[in-house]
Amino acid sequence: MTWLTSFLLWFFLSEAQGFEIPTGGLPEFAEYEDLVELAPGKLHSVPENRRHQRSVSGESGETMEDVDQVTLYSYKVQSTITSRMANSMIQTKVVNNSPQPQNVVFDVQIPKGAFISNFSMSVDGTTFTSSIKEKTVARALYAQARAKGKSTGLVRSRVLDMENFKTEVNVLPGAKVQFELHYQEVKWRKLGSYEHRLHLQPGRLAKHFEVDVWIIEPQGLKFLHVPDISGDHFEGVPVISKGQQKAHVSFRPTVAQQRRCSNCSETAVDGELVVVYDVNREENAGKLEVFNGYFAHFFAPDNMDPIPKNILFVIDVSGSMWGIKMKQTVEAMKTILDDLRTDDQFSVVDFNHNVRTWRNDLVVATKEQVADAKRYIEKIQPNGGTNINEALLRAIFILNEANNLGMLDPNSVSLIILVSDGDPTVGELKLSKIQKNVKQNIRDNISLFSLGIGFDVDYDFLKRLSIDNRGIAQRIYGNQDTSFQLKKFYNQVSTPLLRDVQFNYPHTSVTDVTQNSFHNYFGGSEIVVAGKFDPDKSEQLQSIITATSANTELVLETLAQMDDLEDFLSKDKHADPDFTRKLWAYLTINQLLAERSLATTAADKRKITKTILQMSLEHHIVTPLTAMVIENEAGNERMLADSPPQDHSCCSGALNYGRKVAPSTLPSWAKPSPTPKIPQPARGPSVLEATPPPHVMRVENDPHFIIYLPKSQKNICFNIDSEPGKILNLVSDPESGILVNGQLIGAKKPKKEKLSTYFGKLAFYFRSEDMKIEISTETITLSQGTRTSVLSWSDTAQVINQRVLVSVKKEKTVTITLDNKMSFSVLLHRVWRKHPVNVDFLGIYIPSANTFSPKAHGLIGKFMHEPQIHIFNERPGKDPKKPEASMEVKGHKLLVTRGLQKDYRTNTVFGTDVPCWFVHNSGKGFIDGHYKDYFVPQLYSFLKWP
């Protein structure tokens, strides 16, 4: 953000031109004769008279230049990232070995969007500390300094994705100075990873060079790597230590390794140390972390099909785009057009003083249309003025007209991407009027993204324009890298996975929630919501997320693990116990700054301003409304760190900008599970359903079929002994278009010379909805046509698709309901992963009240139309506890044995006993034909019965 580009207004209350620096040694400075070097660097030093001094050596008249006598004793950078919240410190220690006073410059780059939280300086034992003041107070101090004729200075910088913090001090001979800067930022996920960048420009060799990055992520680290630094010069110098949830990256080159060449005095350290990583995500509902009275919710589902896009590219082709800007833009657009999916629709609007369109309406992104659009763009010749107003209104009209004509998929998302390098010069020139025109004409389902090339464009205007219309703006730096920047931004918005994403929390225990409603969620990014949580009002925190995917409505639920996080953080000395509070403050202040820029009344602006100022002072950070005063203990030497005009964008690096909604405004279609009761100490196995339907068809264990016959009020049981990999048809109803199949898996090894088999995968097909649901012990996959959504057993969720409702209870059950009339339940059985024999498996429960057509068949479906049975001649069996009887069914007389099977719906470990009559020989005589007749070749094959 531009407003964080810090500049220092220096004034000195003493009579000297610079600080009067006391002499004397600091104990941590030791030997550094070998570090004196010639080349200037970022840690600048300039003699007081600003000229190189020359001296005469002996009588020969030979002269030589004095070398730079400021020595960099140490250069240290430390970063700690705890659940995306990064705290960084840059520290340098320098010594003036020169016989003359030197001006020493501390000039470092920090990421855009970071909050400076502290700066201190030690000068031979005299410490200067910082405090945050309201900006008018700071400016009054500046005015006092000017009135007394003291020296002042302003420094600003424009660097790609970075901002400068710069200060300068005049030090006396022999003086030793330590600078230390602290800042904090949130790590935003882009294109599937987080990047932590540390800009390293010491400018000279350092006796002690230490960079340490500690990463603590309770979700677990999926991957981590450090790209090459300065080519292969530092190959092997970065050391990476990675565990499941923690990592440490250190970069500590020796003096020899720092040298540009073996006999060089210049340093090769001049660039960035970048750490790239991502975290594990088992739950689509995200990770909800609660600590010290605050919560943070991280949401980044990936296993979903992209939502189709309707996209308008609005490209500035005015005269100022001539040359490298246009060449790079055309190159980027050709790649972007090639990346459009076949179910996307698009068009191109280009403008200077006139507005033209490649097509007057949206067209499908076929290969032929894409190729034609690329030829059109290649022929563009920049010239003329800039008519932004008419160009945007034309793009909005095309999308609105397509919507009115029914050309847009109701599940699609609509985007406008504006690329411009200048302010309007033709047509409507008043920026506020353009903003108003766009707002009045654009529909609520359209997002506007703005890319400002270079520094001639009014970037603040583009940000207001985008934020006001459900998008974001980004500055593109006009150079040889322009094409890459454009393509990278497009890649971030090219894969919409969800729309209308809303986060809901209990209003009784949660307050001050940050933005919790988002127009779109794009694949590879992450939505972060934070707030305050009062544990005295609730011992648990549950969230409910509603959203719309490519083909379904979603309700995702998650429950925070209250104690686990505290235990985890307490075991790591580098973990920041204050990360939830800092993250909440960072989001809140940034979002308030964005709201302030869009405030329509002076009263609203004053109210927001007051809140921002109060939070800035409370959290000790430099914002557009505050400044940092740095002074010695006596208060007679002082300097000021102010900030330039504010950047109105929210959360630099965040792709998803949203709004706040009331906690109770759930969509009408959302039916979340009841809020769970506070868990009591475990006394036995967990309960899944308090009152499950009593009369169901069940298949459990290896596999035991339990068929309930309601007219006879009897349970008939049989086993199927088959092989792993075989697929059994359970329900095949071609007339109603309903199918249920199960695939067998085997135990890890035989037990008593018999290999047990279980259902490891179940498949459901509903032809009327063209929906397939595949449930394994790992995931739940929903497919409709070409679109797919994947849930994990770690989720608690609902997926709603017209007539079908799929409900997932975390690590417990999946319930499928059709038209609120027919239902199927699947139970997950987890076993100890290191168990020598057993494996995870599934159980299935089908209520006998389900209505199928008369043609329904299958190992379960056939019995939905109850056969007549007669059980008689009950007598003692070989086992006294298992009596025998005779059963007549379908003209067969069978021997059956009385026994017990299990229903695990109310007791996941031990189950509930279900008495039944057991039919031997894999149900022979009770089922039609042989059990092998029920094998099907594919998971979604209907049964072909003779």
Side-chain angles (χ1 to χ4, degrees):
M1 300 179 186
T2 308
W3 56 264
L4 268 176
T5 303
S6 299
F7 57 82
L8 289 179
L9 310 180
W10 284 80
F11 62 88
F12 309 98
L13 301 182
S14 62
E15 293 299 322
Q17 181 178 357
F19 279 110
E20 290 295 336
I21 306 299
T23 59
L26 291 178
E28 62 267 33
F29 290 83
E31 300 297 326
Y32 32 73
E33 296 86 354
D34 60 328
L35 300 183
V36 177
E37 51 95 11
L38 292 170
K42 277 293 182 179
L43 189 69
H44 301 295
S45 65
V46 184
E48 191 174 23
N49 61 8
R50 304 286 173 173
R51 294 198 304 268
H52 288 290
Q53 302 296 311
R54 303 178 69 86
S55 63
V56 177
S57 175
E59 297 180 353
S60 65
E62 181 181 351
T63 61
M64 59 177 292
E65 291 189 353
D66 285 345
V67 297
D68 184 353
Q69 293 292 323
V70 172
T71 300
L72 177 58
Y73 174 76
S74 72
Y75 186 93
K76 293 184 180 180
V77 181
Q78 294 180 352
S79 287
T80 299
I81 304 171
T82 307
S83 288
R84 326 303 195 269
M85 190 70 220
N87 298 282
S88 298
M89 180 274 292
I90 304 174
Q91 180 195 83
T92 64
K93 298 177 181 179
V94 297
V95 182
N96 180 15
N97 288 332
S98 170
Q100 299 176 353
Q102 300 282 329
N103 280 0
V104 176
V105 179
F106 177 70
D107 185 0
V108 297
Q109 292 185 15
I110 64 174
K112 278 182 168 61
F115 282 155
I116 295 173
S117 57
N118 195 18
F119 176 73
S120 62
M121 183 174 68
S122 295
V123 185
D124 273 2
T126 300
T127 301
F128 294 77
T129 57
S130 64
S131 60
I132 303 296
K133 304 290 184 184
E134 195 270 331
K135 181 165 283 190
T136 56
V137 175
R139 287 177 174 171
L141 294 173
Y142 174 53
Q144 292 174 12
R146 288 186 61 184
K148 295 181 180 180
K150 305 301 179 183
S151 60
T152 60
L154 302 178
V155 176
R156 301 190 186 196
S157 177
R158 292 174 174 177
V159 182
L160 178 62
D161 293 332
M162 303 296 285
E163 294 164 342
N164 272 42
F165 182 93
K166 186 173 183 178
T167 181
E168 184 175 352
V169 60
N170 186 266
V171 294
L172 295 177
K176 303 163 183 70
V177 182
Q178 173 180 303
F179 301 101
E180 187 169 303
L181 177 71
H182 293 253
Y183 63 90
Q184 54 189 239
E185 57 176 324
V186 170
K187 298 286 97 183
W188 295 105
R189 189 169 183 254
K190 295 182 180 180
L191 301 177
S193 64
Y194 308 93
E195 285 189 357
H196 186 60
R197 294 180 174 271
L198 295 172
H199 201 80
L200 308 177
Q201 268 191 323
R204 60 192 65 215
L205 302 173
K207 184 175 181 66
H208 299 284
F209 196 111
E210 299 177 10
V211 180
D212 290 285
V213 179
W214 289 276
I215 300 175
I216 301 98
E217 289 287 357
Q219 283 183 249
L221 292 167
K222 185 177 182 180
F223 65 82
L224 182 147
H225 69 274
V226 177
D228 291 340
I229 304 169
S230 300
D232 58 359
H233 184 92
F234 294 105
E235 184 177 358
V237 177
V239 177
I240 302 173
S241 304
K242 178 182 174 295
Q244 290 186 346
Q245 297 169 296
K246 305 172 185 179
H248 175 220
V249 177
S250 65
F251 178 64
R252 300 184 179 187
T254 63
V255 174
Q257 290 171 327
Q258 293 172 52
R259 296 184 189 276
R260 192 175 296 277
C261 61
S262 59
N263 59 349
C264 293
S265 58
E266 298 89 358
T267 179
V269 183
D270 185 6
E272 289 183 320
L273 175 71
V274 182
V275 181
V276 181
Y277 75 96
D278 197 16
V279 300
N280 296 321
R281 290 178 179 82
E282 296 181 354
E283 304 175 41
N284 274 332
K287 183 69 172 179
L288 188 58
E289 298 180 356
V290 181
F291 198 67
N292 282 348
Y294 293 83
F295 75 87
H297 194 165
F298 304 100
F299 180 73
D302 278 333
N303 294 325
M304 298 179 180
D305 278 350
I307 298 176
K309 302 187 297 292
N310 315 302
I311 187 165
L312 263 295
F313 299 99
V314 183
I315 304 172
D316 183 348
V317 296
S318 60
S320 58
M321 287 286 289
W322 183 266
I324 188 66
K325 290 181 186 177
M326 196 71 242
K327 181 180 179 181
Q328 293 274 304
T329 301
V330 169
E331 179 185 333
M333 281 302 305
K334 288 163 65 177
T335 302
I336 288 169
L337 291 173
D338 281 334
D339 288 342
L340 290 172
R341 299 181 179 88
T342 54
D343 55 356
D344 292 338
Q345 298 188 88
F346 78 106
S347 190
V348 179
V349 176
D350 60 298
F351 68 97
N352 46 27
H353 50 283
N354 296 316
V355 177
R356 294 171 296 276
T357 57
W358 165 67
R359 293 285 187 271
N360 290 323
D361 50 18
L362 291 171
V363 299
V364 178
T366 62
K367 290 183 178 180
E368 294 75 18
Q369 296 287 15
V370 166
D372 190 67
K374 288 163 67 177
R375 287 191 292 269
Y376 176 83
I377 290 172
E378 287 174 339
K379 295 177 182 178
I380 291 175
Q381 296 294 322
N383 66 84
T386 306
N387 193 342
I388 293 178
N389 182 71
E390 188 177 339
L392 286 174
L393 293 182
R394 180 76 62 87
I396 293 168
F397 174 80
I398 292 173
L399 282 171
N400 289 347
E401 191 70 8
N403 186 73
N404 294 336
L405 295 174
M407 295 171 56
L408 305 185
D409 183 338
N411 289 325
S412 63
V413 301
S414 296
L415 312 174
I416 295 174
I417 296 182
L418 168 67
V419 180
S420 180
D421 76 332
D423 293 340
T425 60
V426 179
E428 180 59 63
L429 303 180
K430 193 174 181 180
L431 301 182
S432 60
K433 180 63 175 175
I434 296 174
Q435 189 174 342
K436 183 178 179 181
N437 290 342
V438 170
K439 185 69 174 176
Q440 287 179 342
N441 286 274
I442 198 168
R443 289 179 180 266
D444 289 342
N445 62 346
I446 300 174
S447 295
L448 172 60
F449 296 91
S450 302
L451 302 178
I453 299 180
F455 291 93
D456 295 329
V457 67
D458 189 327
Y459 188 46
D460 285 344
F461 162 66
L462 293 183
K463 283 181 287 189
R464 291 194 301 272
L465 192 65
S466 295
I467 291 174
D468 207 19
N469 295 287
R470 297 160 295 281
I472 64 168
Q474 182 167 312
R475 190 185 294 281
I476 302 296
Y477 295 82
N479 52 33
Q480 298 292 334
D481 203 29
T482 297
S483 177
F484 171 77
Q485 296 174 61
L486 290 170
K487 287 184 286 187
K488 184 176 180 180
F489 178 84
Y490 171 75
N491 288 339
Q492 293 177 58
V493 299
S494 65
T495 311
L497 297 182
L498 295 172
R499 56 187 179 87
D500 301 326
V501 186
Q502 183 173 316
F503 295 74
N504 299 273
Y505 307 94
H507 64 277
T508 54
S509 57
V510 169
T511 58
D512 299 309
V513 178
T514 58
Q515 291 172 354
N516 63 327
S517 179
F518 301 86
H519 191 61
N520 295 311
Y521 164 74
F522 297 97
S525 68
E526 183 173 58
I527 295 176
V528 183
V529 181
K532 295 180 179 179
F533 173 71
D534 187 349
D536 293 333
K537 295 183 178 179
S538 176
E539 294 189 27
Q540 286 188 319
L541 177 58
Q542 181 189 32
S543 76
I544 300 170
I545 304 170
T546 59
T548 302
S549 68
N551 57 343
T552 57
E553 308 284 359
L554 296 175
V555 181
L556 303 170
E557 303 175 42
T558 189
L559 194 65
Q561 301 299 316
M562 304 299 288
D563 299 326
D564 295 354
L565 185 61
E566 183 174 1
D567 293 341
F568 172 74
L569 295 177
S570 65
K571 296 175 183 177
D572 194 294
K573 65 179 181 180
H574 297 293
D576 182 3
D578 212 20
F579 81 94
T580 49
R581 184 183 69 89
K582 291 178 181 177
L583 192 147
W584 171 80
Y586 182 95
L587 293 178
T588 302
I589 291 175
N590 273 292
Q591 291 170 7
L592 285 172
L593 287 168
E595 290 176 22
R596 184 174 182 264
S597 72
L598 299 175
T600 56
T601 67
D604 286 345
K605 192 168 186 175
R606 284 195 300 270
K607 182 179 179 182
I608 297 171
T609 299
K610 182 179 179 181
T611 304
I612 297 172
L613 177 59
Q614 181 179 348
M615 288 189 64
S616 302
L617 296 174
E618 179 182 346
H619 293 271
H620 200 269
I621 49 181
V622 179
T623 68
L625 305 179
T626 58
M628 180 178 286
V629 176
I630 304 139
E631 57 188 346
N632 63 359
E633 187 175 352
N636 57 3
E637 291 181 304
R638 185 180 297 133
M639 51 188 173
L640 182 71
D642 203 350
S643 57
Q646 82 177 68
D647 181 337
H648 300 295
S649 65
C650 167
C651 318
S652 179
L655 189 60
N656 305 288
Y657 182 78
R659 59 191 177 93
K660 292 184 180 181
V661 297
S664 60
T665 54
L666 281 173
S668 57
W669 48 263
K671 299 177 181 179
S673 304
T675 302
K677 296 180 180 180
I678 298 169
Q680 301 297 324
R683 297 176 182 269
S686 60
V687 173
L688 295 183
E689 298 182 45
T691 55
H695 304 308
V696 295
M697 311 286 192
R698 312 166 179 88
V699 185
E700 279 287 5
N701 287 319
D702 56 341
H704 302 315
F705 286 74
I706 308 174
I707 306 298
Y708 176 72
L709 302 177
K711 293 179 182 178
S712 305
Q713 296 187 354
K714 303 288 186 182
N715 286 305
I716 308 299
C717 307
F718 59 91
N719 295 346
I720 296 292
D721 295 321
S722 187
E723 305 169 13
K726 295 295 184 181
I727 301 172
L728 294 173
N729 174 251
L730 305 180
V731 178
S732 181
D733 190 352
E735 187 170 302
S736 61
I738 297 175
L739 172 74
V740 183
N741 288 332
Q743 187 170 32
L744 297 173
I745 56 172
K748 294 177 182 177
K749 62 181 181 181
K751 186 177 181 180
K752 295 182 180 179
E753 299 183 355
K754 178 182 180 295
L755 183 68
S756 297
T757 56
Y758 310 85
F759 280 133
K761 190 176 291 183
L762 291 165
F764 300 81
Y765 174 60
F766 304 101
R767 186 170 56 205
S768 62
E769 305 302 310
D770 189 24
M771 175 169 280
K772 297 176 179 178
I773 302 169
E774 182 178 315
I775 302 173
S776 72
T777 56
E778 300 299 327
T779 58
I780 301 99
T781 303
L782 294 83
S783 302
Q784 188 173 37
T786 59
R787 298 174 182 172
T788 302
S789 299
V790 180
L791 296 174
S792 162
W793 278 103
S794 298
D795 291 312
T796 294
Q798 289 186 11
V799 179
I800 303 167
N801 182 283
Q802 298 177 351
R803 298 170 58 211
V804 179
L805 169 64
V806 180
S807 299
V808 182
K809 289 187 178 180
K810 182 176 180 178
E811 296 292 333
K812 295 178 181 178
T813 60
V814 174
T815 302
I816 301 169
T817 307
L818 179 65
D819 280 339
N820 291 320
K821 297 177 181 178
M822 189 177 294
S823 66
F824 307 84
S825 292
V826 177
L827 259 63
L828 174 66
H829 294 272
R830 290 279 191 224
V831 300
W832 179 43
R833 288 192 176 186
K834 295 183 180 180
H835 194 285
V837 177
N838 295 341
V839 294
D840 295 345
F841 66 95
L842 304 172
I844 182 171
Y845 296 75
I846 304 178
S848 57
N850 280 4
T851 303
F852 295 95
S853 79
K855 294 184 178 181
H857 212 292
L859 287 168
I860 293 178
K862 184 63 180 176
F863 297 103
M864 290 299 178
H865 304 288
E866 182 176 338
Q868 289 186 354
I869 66 168
H870 176 49
I871 299 176
F872 61 97
N873 191 21
E874 186 173 339
R875 54 196 181 272
K878 295 179 181 179
D879 185 339
K881 296 180 180 179
K882 296 181 179 180
E884 295 178 350
S886 299
M887 183 175 75
E888 291 182 347
V889 57
K890 302 176 186 177
H892 301 286
K893 184 177 179 181
L894 307 176
L895 172 68
V896 293
T897 303
R898 186 73 167 172
L900 296 174
Q901 295 294 349
K902 294 290 186 180
D903 184 323
Y904 290 94
R905 289 175 296 166
T906 59
N907 188 313
T908 58
V909 178
F910 302 111
T912 302
D913 288 337
V914 178
C916 68
W917 288 101
F918 183 77
V919 181
H920 302 274
N921 299 321
S922 297
K924 184 178 180 180
F926 181 61
I927 65 175
D928 291 344
H930 192 274
Y931 80 87
K932 291 184 179 180
D933 296 333
Y934 294 85
F935 289 166
V936 291
Q938 304 293 333
L939 205 52
Y940 291 100
S941 298
F942 277 89
L943 180 66
K944 294 181 180 180
W945 195 257

